[in-house]
Amino acid sequence: MCGVFGYVTNRDEALGPILVEAAQRLTYRGYDSVGAATFRDGRIDLRKDVGKVDAVAERHGLRDMRGSRGITQLRWATFGAPSQVNAQPHLDSDGTMAGAHNGNVVNNAELRVEFAVEGMTVRSENDGESCVHAVERHLRRGAGPIDAIRLAYRDLEGDYSFVIGRADDDRLYAFKKGSGLVVGIGDGFTCVSSDLPSILPLTRDVIRLNDGEIVTLWADRVEVRSVQDGEVLERPVETVSESMDAARKGGFPHFMAKEIHEQPQVARELLHLLDASADVGPLVERMREARHLYLVGCGTSYHAALLGSVYLAQVAGRVAIPVLAPQFIAQYAPAVGPEDVGLFVSQSGETKDVLNALEAADRRGMVSFGLANVVGSALTRATQRCLPLGCGFEISVPATKTFTNQVLAFLYLAYRLGGRDTGELTGIPELMEQTIAAVDGPIRAIAQDLADRNDLYCLGYGATYPIALEGALKLKEITYAHCEGMLSTEFKHGPLSAVSDGYPIVFVAGPSDTPLIISGINEVKVRGARAITIGQEDARLRANGDDLITIPASDPQVSALLSVIPLQLLSYHMSVLRGFDPDFPRNLSKTLTVD
Ligand code: M6R
């Protein structure tokens, strides 16, 4: 995830402070490099570097930049390592046009070769530069700016948005396809940004662009056109009345709800990231050769590791040992060595238990890799290779979008290790969208019924066992009710005695385990329990349980991933109904930097 912002006025202004403040508001989207370009008297002043906004602003005097138009970009490296040359914005071949993007151009490598063959100056490996050259290509061939963007859109594959401007002009152009873009209209200026909250301090009059829309921004007006036929579109200006806090929550009442709904988009971005990553190949090869392979994490990240071990065995035939980080130290560290590989999983990359385990592994010479969301965190720095989760900030204490992206990353690695085509995974984000749409209503009704219950079980089997554990953790964490996650077949070995009339038991049914789940359902139903099943549409599940929350049809691995969504929503709605703030549960903190 990156962030891009453009600003247009009609006089020479001190744009530096405006661009730096916008960049600070977009920091959550990217924080490995920052850049700004201003357009002044037919010339472009471009300053950019690796580092956080304040450091780069200080080093390169970004606050002193002047002009009548400006672009700033926050980069979170996907194509090309974090470096000054890969930082954005980028110039065209002769330095008379500058632009920056957010998103992923998936045919970047092929395009860079084509541009070079056509005689353009390609300076970086970054796909933002490909957006600039794609427009330059068609300007060189004689197209006007709007047509050049329309034709560039046909060349650039992926989900992205970009902002671009020419030195000898009085306007900026922006285009949206897949990644967010909002236009702001102020008094004597217009602006465009990756998100609404970064615009609100400047103006409350906005146009939220749709995919396939090109906007031209002058100081006193904007014009929106369709990328398909270039026709002008009527896009009324909307005056935003919501507070800054509400805008940061994207119109949702809580960050948790927003982050649950962001899951399809961040999953899409993660697949692009992994396709482009130079680390995946070597990491997979080392995993293949390992004597023993350990997947290490805590809490939700451990549940992702647990599901990762199921995927690696089911898809790639590779045994991996999932382990809670402190137990890794106590149980396995004395036995590991340089032939072994550990994959350390953490949203924050700062969890002390995980870093302790990593230290213990390092002392034994074990090869260590990471899977982390926060770029620049201790885990990303301390492991030999670290794959990103690409979720942007997760503000809500309960992990949601980072869990699904951890799981997706494991599934991707299992596909690579098993020699399967990762292209088969591209349908997952859409299935996630369908799941959210299908389950939210029915889950709200169940949350209403269960709101007063203080004891629940959540049972799964095979790939849905880690999901049952994760669902139970989420329920405990934000409803403060007791919920135990278990392997469904273990229930009869003890907990069954707790069942009495109306006792709620959630079954997470994988499509290949239906008969086993039906046995479990009947076992508890005859003792008076209420059996709520999450699974694919199946007449047998419907006939045997009390409620069936249906998720879209897919294979067992993907089905497990989808089935966590209703559990996240159940926890969320129950928490709100019980009068709690799901974003900030009592006694907990987002990052646990203590032993
Ligand atoms: O940052 P990490 O993924 O290392 O954090 C590990 C756990 O503390 C974390 O997953 C915790 O269990 C979540 N808040 C649960 O929602």
Side-chain angles (χ1 to χ4, degrees):
M1 202 192 267
C2 301
V4 62
F5 173 89
Y7 187 91
V8 182
T9 174
N10 52 12
R11 53 186 179 271
D12 185 40
E13 265 191 39
L15 289 187
I18 296 170
L19 297 179
V20 170
E21 277 159 34
Q24 283 164 336
R25 292 191 286 275
L26 287 170
T27 293
Y28 76 96
R29 303 178 67 94
Y31 25 78
D32 59 45
S33 349
V34 187
T38 52
F39 302 74
R40 190 180 190 206
D41 301 332
R43 286 196 308 275
I44 297 174
D45 180 4
L46 174 64
R47 307 181 193 191
K48 57 184 185 173
D49 211 343
V50 176
K52 300 216 163 101
V53 179
D54 289 338
V56 175
E58 186 67 30
R59 212 178 308 143
H60 292 279
L62 299 192
R63 286 192 180 80
D64 305 330
M65 294 174 81
R66 295 191 65 87
S68 57
R69 290 167 292 145
I71 298 173
T72 184
Q73 203 265 11
L74 280 293
R75 177 160 189 251
W76 195 83
T78 312
F79 289 92
S83 67
Q84 188 169 33
V85 76
N86 285 327
Q88 302 202 45
H90 295 282
L91 295 174
D92 68 347
S93 300
D94 63 6
T96 58
M97 184 162 70
H101 94 316
N102 163 36
N104 296 291
V105 176
V106 293
N107 58 338
N108 178 51
E110 301 89 299
L111 284 174
R112 281 169 47 234
V113 174
E114 288 176 22
F115 296 144
V117 169
E118 290 169 31
M120 289 184 233
T121 309
V122 179
R123 302 176 183 89
S124 76
E125 295 175 296
N126 180 245
D127 50 339
E129 185 178 359
S130 287
C131 294
V132 177
H133 289 311
V135 176
E136 177 190 355
R137 161 191 268 177
H138 297 290
L139 288 171
R140 282 175 166 221
R141 292 176 186 171
I146 294 288
D147 281 339
I149 292 171
R150 293 182 53 221
L151 293 162
Y153 152 74
R154 295 187 195 161
D155 296 343
L156 298 163
E157 291 171 19
D159 288 325
Y160 56 86
S161 59
F162 63 75
V163 182
I164 202 160
R166 299 196 295 169
D168 58 351
D169 212 342
D170 61 350
R171 65 203 77 167
L172 290 179
Y173 303 92
F175 173 61
K176 168 170 160 53
K177 185 201 170 209
S179 300
L181 212 54
V182 183
V183 172
I185 297 153
D187 190 9
F189 71 89
T190 60
C191 57
V192 61
S193 181
S194 295
D195 75 8
L196 178 65
S198 59
I199 286 185
L200 287 187
L202 301 171
T203 177
R204 290 194 157 261
D205 292 337
V206 306
I207 299 173
R208 300 179 212 239
L209 291 183
N210 296 319
D211 283 345
E213 291 182 346
I214 305 168
V215 61
T216 309
L217 301 111
W218 291 268
D220 56 355
R221 69 192 166 96
V222 300
E223 183 182 75
V224 181
R225 289 176 183 268
S226 159
V227 79
Q228 296 303 340
D229 53 17
E231 289 301 308
V232 174
L233 300 168
E234 278 311 312
R235 299 287 276 110
V237 177
E238 160 197 354
T239 301
V240 176
S241 56
E242 64 206 41
S243 68
M244 186 63 167
D245 184 53
R248 285 179 65 224
K249 289 177 182 154
F252 292 94
H254 300 95
F255 287 109
M256 184 180 179
K258 173 175 178 260
E259 287 159 5
I260 289 172
H261 284 80
E262 276 172 357
Q263 290 179 112
Q265 181 57 24
V266 296
R268 210 167 267 128
E269 290 185 17
L270 179 67
L271 290 172
H272 292 323
L273 274 173
L274 295 176
D275 282 343
S277 166
D279 285 319
V280 170
L283 193 144
V284 165
E285 282 323 304
R286 202 61 197 78
M287 283 169 75
R288 192 191 307 283
E289 293 158 7
R291 179 182 62 169
H292 296 303
L293 176 59
Y294 298 91
L295 312 179
V296 187
C298 292
T300 289
S301 296
Y302 166 68
H303 297 152
L306 203 55
L307 185 47
S309 75
V310 176
Y311 285 166
L312 285 164
Q314 290 182 344
V315 177
R318 180 68 170 95
V319 173
I321 303 162
V323 56
L324 286 161
Q327 188 65 9
F328 174 82
I329 301 173
Q331 185 178 348
Y332 295 108
V336 301
E339 318 80 11
D340 302 314
V341 170
L343 187 47
F344 295 80
V345 193
S346 172
Q347 182 286 129
S348 61
E350 299 288 351
T351 300
K352 186 77 180 341
D353 286 337
V354 176
L355 297 178
N356 289 346
L358 178 60
E359 226 176 86
D362 281 349
R363 278 198 296 273
R364 302 283 307 180
M366 189 170 122
V367 177
S368 26
F369 297 134
L371 192 53
N373 190 44
V374 179
V375 176
S377 60
L379 188 68
T380 63
R381 286 181 273 116
T383 44
Q384 294 166 23
R385 290 177 192 275
C386 191
L387 297 181
L389 291 173
C391 297
F393 275 164
E394 187 175 66
I395 293 168
S396 177
V397 170
T400 53
K401 60 178 177 174
T402 53
F403 174 73
T404 42
N405 265 15
Q406 286 169 339
V407 168
L408 185 57
F410 275 120
L411 187 54
Y412 189 97
L413 292 175
Y415 264 58
R416 287 287 295 264
L417 209 59
R420 279 180 65 176
D421 177 8
T422 53
E424 289 172 31
L425 305 176
T426 50
I428 292 178
E430 202 180 318
L431 288 169
M432 293 170 92
E433 269 155 14
Q434 290 168 8
T435 305
I436 294 172
V439 305
D440 196 36
I443 277 291
R444 271 174 205 261
I446 291 189
Q448 196 86 44
D449 288 356
L450 301 187
D452 295 333
R453 304 300 305 212
N454 283 319
D455 265 307
L456 301 94
Y457 273 92
C458 193
L459 310 182
Y461 181 83
T464 67
Y465 166 53
I467 297 297
L469 297 189
E470 174 57 11
L473 172 62
K474 220 92 298 177
L475 274 154
K476 279 189 279 254
E477 189 178 15
I478 57 172
T479 71
Y480 314 154
H482 170 251
C483 182
E484 200 174 333
M486 283 189 76
L487 193 74
S488 61
T489 51
E490 279 296 289
F491 201 69
K492 59 182 176 292
H493 293 291
L496 189 55
S497 63
V499 171
S500 56
D501 270 358
Y503 197 104
I505 303 183
V506 181
F507 286 86
V508 193
S512 44
D513 310 315
T514 310
L516 209 59
I517 293 290
I518 288 174
S519 302
I521 290 174
N522 283 295
E523 206 167 68
V524 301
K525 278 223 27 135
V526 292
R527 290 165 176 91
R530 173 171 178 184
I532 300 148
T533 314
I534 293 170
Q536 299 180 16
E537 182 54 54
D538 187 307
R540 294 165 300 167
L541 289 176
R542 206 170 269 292
N544 284 276
D546 292 296
D547 315 85
L548 177 62
I549 303 295
T550 48
I551 58 172
S554 62
D555 67 41
Q557 289 80 34
V558 176
S559 195
L561 167 59
L562 300 179
S563 58
V564 80
I565 294 173
L567 290 166
Q568 294 169 342
L569 287 165
L570 178 64
S571 317
Y572 170 75
H573 291 305
M574 273 182 72
S575 173
V576 174
L577 286 164
R578 287 161 80 96
F580 304 129
D581 179 350
D583 288 338
F584 303 106
R586 68 184 182 206
N587 307 337
L588 297 180
S589 128
K590 183 74 182 159
T591 306
L592 287 160
T593 52
V594 289
D595 286 311

